[in-house]
Amino acid sequence: MNHPNEDLIEDKLKNLPKPKLNTEVKNNIYFSLMRDDLYKKKEPAFYTKKIVLSLVGVFALVIFSFTVASSMIKNSNNTNTSSFSLSIDHKNKVDIKKLIPYRESYVGDSSAIVGILQQLPGNQYIKGGVSLSTKKEPYGIHVHYISNEKYWSRDNTERIFLYNATTLFILIKNVDEVSFDVNTKEGTQSFHTTRKELGSFYGVTLRELSKNQRQWENLLNHTFTDKEKVQSFYDKQIFHNVDWTLSPTFKSDNSTTMIGKKGKLGIMKSDFTASHPGKYLWGFWGDKNELQGPVKIIGMKKDSGNVTKIFSTNQLIGPIHGADQHIPCDMYFPSSGVWCLYVYLNNKPFDYIVIKVH
């Protein structure tokens, strides 16, 4: 038997707010409202109250479901955009949403510059001072950070300096160059880059990222979750100050001629031929504490702007031919020309030589 108010109940159910109830819940409500006829006749007043209470329960359930769904959607959006954060210094997280208000800043607005820096890694150490070059182009920002040996490790410093420079170029319309420095036990660590250089490194127009938060986030994730990507920037930068004059020869002992810097770094004289792998011997001179750790050799052909991985090994293997330490290695040059070979020891730049590849 159909209830006389069934049509009214159906209309109310159809007009309830989203999300819709699933079929199972809806059927349970029908069964709850439409008891057997005997029960309805015996308890008409109670039955009326039952309908009212059931409808109240339905509305409460729908409102609760809608609130939960809205909260989930909001949280999901926050996770992907406004709440995005990334640990650059392996400790404190940077939240992009706090930087967005500064995206129309100029170099001449010192309060905005300081406001940005206060949101970035290393902000607790900017007491060293901030100076702005605003009188003529190129317009620049220089930040001197005060020392803290535990915080300013080489890895941490490189990540922080690259990240902070990237952020300044994204947010500040007219900044052309950025430089940072901090005094550490290894000496002063300095950093300098330009908008053009960083734009080339990332392959994007950095200012455009201030208008697209998702692309900004993707750029940061792609770069700062990849240690090799960060290192590739510094590998390329290290060739900026190279003297491309061919390195001279010198005698490392009575019978051995090397190419390089006497008393520091040399490679045994040989013919360097492009497109053919060759075996070579490197010699190193210096303090025993300096001549240790893994060895990495990278190369760049003059005017190419491209860094090539040449060789790497875990350690040096002792004296030879008058050198304090040495390594034998296989090297391959993809093309002829003047090449600079830069050597890292224990993950720090050691020195370089310049050779002619035929």
Side-chain angles (χ1 to χ4, degrees):
M1 178 178 177
N2 293 335
H3 191 275
N5 291 326
E6 182 177 359
D7 291 339
L8 176 61
I9 294 170
E10 179 68 20
D11 288 340
K12 288 182 178 295
L13 288 173
K14 287 181 179 179
N15 293 324
L16 288 175
K18 302 296 182 181
K20 292 182 179 180
L21 300 174
N22 62 40
T23 302
E24 181 180 358
V25 173
K26 189 173 180 180
N27 287 339
N28 287 338
I29 294 172
Y30 274 122
F31 294 148
S32 176
L33 295 176
M34 295 184 286
R35 300 291 185 185
D36 61 89
D37 192 54
L38 180 61
Y39 179 81
K40 300 168 196 170
K41 289 180 180 179
K42 287 183 178 181
E43 300 289 341
F46 179 78
Y47 178 71
T48 301
K49 292 180 181 179
K50 187 75 173 179
I51 294 177
V52 172
L53 291 174
S54 297
L55 287 174
V56 170
V58 170
F59 279 105
L61 176 62
V62 171
I63 292 171
F64 174 77
S65 300
F66 184 78
T67 302
V68 171
S70 298
S71 176
M72 291 175 65
I73 293 171
K74 183 178 180 181
N75 289 337
S76 175
N77 288 339
N78 285 341
T79 298
N80 292 329
T81 55
S82 61
S83 290
F84 172 88
S85 61
L86 183 67
S87 175
I88 301 301
D89 59 6
H90 305 299
K91 182 179 180 181
N92 300 307
K93 291 185 179 293
V94 177
D95 196 337
I96 288 180
K97 68 179 181 180
K98 295 180 180 179
L99 294 168
I100 293 297
Y102 296 101
R103 61 185 172 187
E104 299 298 324
S105 301
Y106 288 87
V107 172
D109 187 349
S110 58
S111 62
I113 305 303
V114 172
I116 294 170
L117 291 170
Q118 287 175 339
Q119 300 296 330
L120 299 181
N123 59 78
Q124 64 270 46
Y125 302 112
I126 61 173
K127 297 175 183 177
V130 178
S131 59
L132 308 177
S133 299
T134 60
K135 292 183 178 181
K136 61 179 181 178
E137 295 180 339
Y139 300 124
I141 299 170
H142 176 76
V143 184
H144 175 67
Y145 294 91
I146 60 175
S147 179
N148 181 292
E149 297 298 341
K150 291 183 179 180
Y151 186 81
W152 296 107
S153 65
R154 177 170 291 275
D155 176 62
N156 219 27
T157 301
E158 289 182 347
R159 285 171 58 85
I160 291 169
F161 283 0
L162 180 59
Y163 179 87
N164 289 2
T166 301
T167 304
L168 291 171
F169 284 124
I170 290 173
L171 294 173
I172 303 173
K173 286 184 173 183
N174 63 333
V175 63
D176 299 309
E177 57 186 20
V178 169
S179 59
F180 308 123
D181 67 72
V182 60
N183 296 323
T184 70
K185 62 182 180 181
E186 298 178 0
T188 300
Q189 294 194 51
S190 299
F191 174 94
H192 177 273
T193 190
T194 64
R195 180 179 293 280
K196 181 179 179 181
E197 181 182 28
L198 268 191
S200 175
F201 171 69
Y202 290 117
V204 298
T205 302
L206 291 174
R207 272 295 297 163
E208 293 299 315
L209 298 179
S210 68
K211 305 172 186 176
N212 191 318
Q213 187 175 335
R214 181 59 60 84
Q215 289 183 8
W216 186 351
E217 294 164 1
N218 289 342
L219 178 84
L220 298 182
N221 264 328
H222 176 69
T223 303
F224 292 95
T225 58
D226 184 347
K227 187 175 181 179
E228 288 192 5
K229 177 70 174 177
V230 174
Q231 185 59 50
S232 70
F233 172 80
Y234 289 95
D235 283 348
K236 191 169 185 178
Q237 262 213 335
I238 205 168
F239 290 95
H240 286 182
N241 298 320
V242 163
D243 177 357
W244 288 91
T245 304
L246 294 178
S247 297
T249 60
F250 64 92
K251 289 283 189 179
S252 63
D253 62 16
N254 292 332
S255 60
T256 307
T257 300
M258 289 196 171
I259 300 172
K261 299 176 180 179
K262 188 174 183 179
K264 185 70 180 288
L265 175 69
I267 185 170
M268 188 178 290
K269 187 178 180 181
S270 179
D271 292 328
F272 302 101
T273 306
S275 303
H276 293 284
K279 295 185 178 296
Y280 305 92
L281 186 143
W282 287 82
F284 301 82
W285 289 260
D287 183 86
K288 65 179 181 180
N289 293 322
E290 185 181 24
L291 302 181
Q292 60 181 348
V295 182
K296 179 178 80 170
I297 305 173
I298 56 176
M300 178 181 286
K301 180 180 174 180
K302 186 178 181 180
D303 298 326
S304 72
N306 299 318
V307 176
T308 300
K309 294 180 179 179
I310 300 294
F311 179 78
S312 63
T313 188
N314 290 330
Q315 60 183 8
L316 300 169
I317 56 175
I320 196 173
H321 298 309
D324 298 324
Q325 295 283 345
H326 84 284
I327 52 167
C329 72
D330 297 325
M331 297 195 302
Y332 175 84
F333 300 97
S335 60
S336 60
V338 176
W339 281 76
C340 175
L341 304 179
Y342 222 114
V343 178
Y344 285 74
L345 289 183
N346 203 22
N347 301 315
K348 295 182 289 187
F350 180 68
D351 214 327
Y352 68 90
I353 66 170
V354 179
I355 61 172
K356 176 72 173 179
V357 178
H358 301 282

